[in-house]
Every structure is written in structure tokens, then in C-alpha cells.
Amino acid sequence: MQEKIKFALAKGRLAEKSVDILEKCGIDCRCILEPSRKLVMSDVSGKYEFIFVKPSDVPIYVEHGVADIGVVGKDTLLEEDRDVYELIDLGFAKCRLCLAGYKDTDLSNYKNSLKVATKYAHIAKDYFDSKGQNVEIIPLHGSIELGPIVGLSDIILDIVESGKTLQENDLCVLEEIVNCSARLIVNKVSLKTKAEEIKPLVTKIEQIIKSQQ
């Protein structure tokens, strides 16, 4: 009997794009896109289960084995730093992790502590530690752009897609840190214990992604 494969997904765009790929793999899971407050759903066959969680929690569920597979942004993976296998760059939900601030901001002028507002505190610490630069990290969880505008911070570290929000607030990208996109992650134990189910599915997904490039 085939073991049930459990996915951790974040509702919204990541789930919608994931469903597109899974449908091409032969998994009928369109029902998970229908309006519902259910947090756990199954596909038509009952072989696959979908757990809906906050984007930042996807790697946690996968690491602990509650979910076998997850779809999560690279930015979240870097921030959470969880013990999971990152197997495939799915190529959607593309964005950049950037330092941003006012155009005339010169980062080299901050000999003392640079104030950085961000929801990516772990990434910020690692990045500035690698540069040997002293910073004060100010954790924020919404409207990060407000940091420099109201004087809470000198700059921000945040994801940038189109850059329109920055432009509308007279801010700009000062430095790009890393390009991000959605990634397929797998629990390390599941990849061994459910190899007969997971590995063929991973291969199918890889083939679909390559065909779309």
C-alpha cells in the first residue's frame, strides 16, 4: 500500500503555482484552490495530503516530518535555516533580497552602528557579520519601507519584486543580496522512508520545470 505523501503549502500564489505543477504530474488537487477554511485537505485519490500553514512555517513542518514535502520561498529558507533538503528551484515567485534606502545613502559612511529595519533578522545578521560591519537590527513585520521614512532606521533589508513601492516612497535599491524564487524542499527522513513515492514525483517535477524554461 502506498504511503500518503504530505505537503506543506502556504495558501495564495505559492499554492496556486504548486497546484499547476502537481496537476501536470497527474495529481488531481484543484479542490484545494476552492474557498475553504480547512487547514488539511486531500487530493481526489487520497494519496496526497495538503497542510496549509504560514509561509514562514513551511520549513518547520517539513523539518519535523509533519510534512514530507514543502514549497517555500528561498528568502524564507535562508531566514529559517532549517535542516531540510532543498531539491528544486521551481522558478516562480521570483524576487530579490535587497538593501534599500534613500538614494544618497552611502553605506560606507556608517563607521559606527548602521540601523537596519527588516523581517529577515537572521539573514541581516549573517550578511553584515560576513562584512564585519556593526549594525543594529530592528525587527519589523509590516510596512518595512517606513523605517527610513520615519527615522526608525537608516536602511531596510527586504524582498523587492517590481520596486514600485520603493519608488513611490522615494527609496531605491542600494545593494542586491540574493535572487530568490520558490523552492521544493523535502524532509530528510521522508526521502529515505518514502523514496518509492517521493523520488519519482521529484523527477516528474524536475522534468516539468525544465520543459517550461
Side-chain angles (χ1 to χ4, degrees), residues 107 109-116 124-125 127-137 154-155:
L107 299 181
N109 285 338
Y110 292 87
K111 304 301 181 184
N112 296 316
S113 184
L114 175 70
K115 292 182 179 180
V116 184
K125 183 179 185 305
Y127 179 75
F128 286 104
D129 280 352
S130 72
K131 298 185 70 170
Q133 188 165 4
N134 186 32
V135 297
E136 177 186 348
I137 298 170
D154 301 305
I155 62 170

Side-chain angles (χ1 to χ4, degrees), residues 117-149:
T118 185
K119 67 175 181 179
Y120 299 102
H122 178 79
I123 294 174
K125 183 179 185 305
D126 281 355
Y127 179 75
F128 286 104
D129 280 352
S130 72
K131 298 185 70 170
Q133 188 165 4
N134 186 32
V135 297
E136 177 186 348
I137 298 170
I138 302 171
L140 290 180
H141 300 285
S143 301
I144 311 297
E145 296 83 4
L146 269 176
I149 296 171

Side-chain angles (χ1 to χ4, degrees), residues 13-211:
R13 185 171 56 175
L14 284 180
E16 291 170 5
K17 292 287 188 179
S18 300
V19 166
D20 287 342
I21 293 172
L22 294 176
E23 287 280 327
K24 290 174 182 176
C25 290
I27 302 172
D28 188 351
C29 53
R30 288 168 293 179
C31 61
I32 72 177
L33 295 181
E34 295 173 2
S36 173
R37 292 184 180 272
K38 286 187 177 181
L39 300 176
V40 180
M41 299 180 73
S42 295
D43 76 313
V44 174
S45 71
K47 295 177 181 179
Y48 301 94
E49 187 172 273
F50 302 91
I51 305 166
F52 298 103
V53 301
K54 287 180 62 176
S56 59
D57 289 341
V58 170
I60 300 173
Y61 280 81
V62 174
E63 180 186 47
H64 287 275
V66 176
D68 303 300
I69 300 173
V71 176
V72 63
K74 179 66 174 180
D75 55 314
T76 301
L77 268 185
L78 290 171
E79 179 62 19
E80 291 298 321
D81 193 25
R82 297 287 171 172
D83 189 23
V84 298
Y85 286 132
E86 178 187 336
L87 296 186
I88 306 174
D89 181 349
L90 297 171
F92 58 81
K94 291 183 178 180
C95 61
R96 299 169 291 158
L97 261 178
C98 301
L99 300 180
Y102 287 112
K103 187 176 181 179
D104 59 357
T105 302
D106 185 349
L107 299 181
S108 64
N109 285 338
Y110 292 87
K111 304 301 181 184
N112 296 316
S113 184
L114 175 70
K115 292 182 179 180
V116 184
T118 185
K119 67 175 181 179
Y120 299 102
H122 178 79
I123 294 174
K125 183 179 185 305
D126 281 355
Y127 179 75
F128 286 104
D129 280 352
S130 72
K131 298 185 70 170
Q133 188 165 4
N134 186 32
V135 297
E136 177 186 348
I137 298 170
I138 302 171
L140 290 180
H141 300 285
S143 301
I144 311 297
E145 296 83 4
L146 269 176
I149 296 171
V150 300
L152 179 65
S153 67
D154 301 305
I155 62 170
I156 64 173
L157 188 159
D158 201 11
I159 56 170
V160 176
E161 293 184 52
S162 67
K164 288 183 179 179
T165 303
L166 291 178
Q167 292 173 10
E168 289 177 3
N169 288 283
D170 299 320
L171 304 175
C172 66
V173 171
L174 301 172
E175 195 171 322
E176 289 189 17
I177 295 178
V178 65
N179 288 317
C180 299
S181 57
R183 307 298 164 100
L184 186 83
I185 60 173
V186 177
N187 175 269
K188 290 187 172 182
V189 175
S190 296
L191 194 57
K192 295 177 182 178
T193 60
K194 299 182 180 181
E196 290 185 9
E197 292 82 16
I198 291 177
K199 287 186 177 180
L201 177 60
V202 169
T203 299
K204 283 183 182 178
I205 293 172
E206 283 180 327
Q207 292 170 345
I208 290 165
I209 299 304
K210 286 179 180 178
S211 71

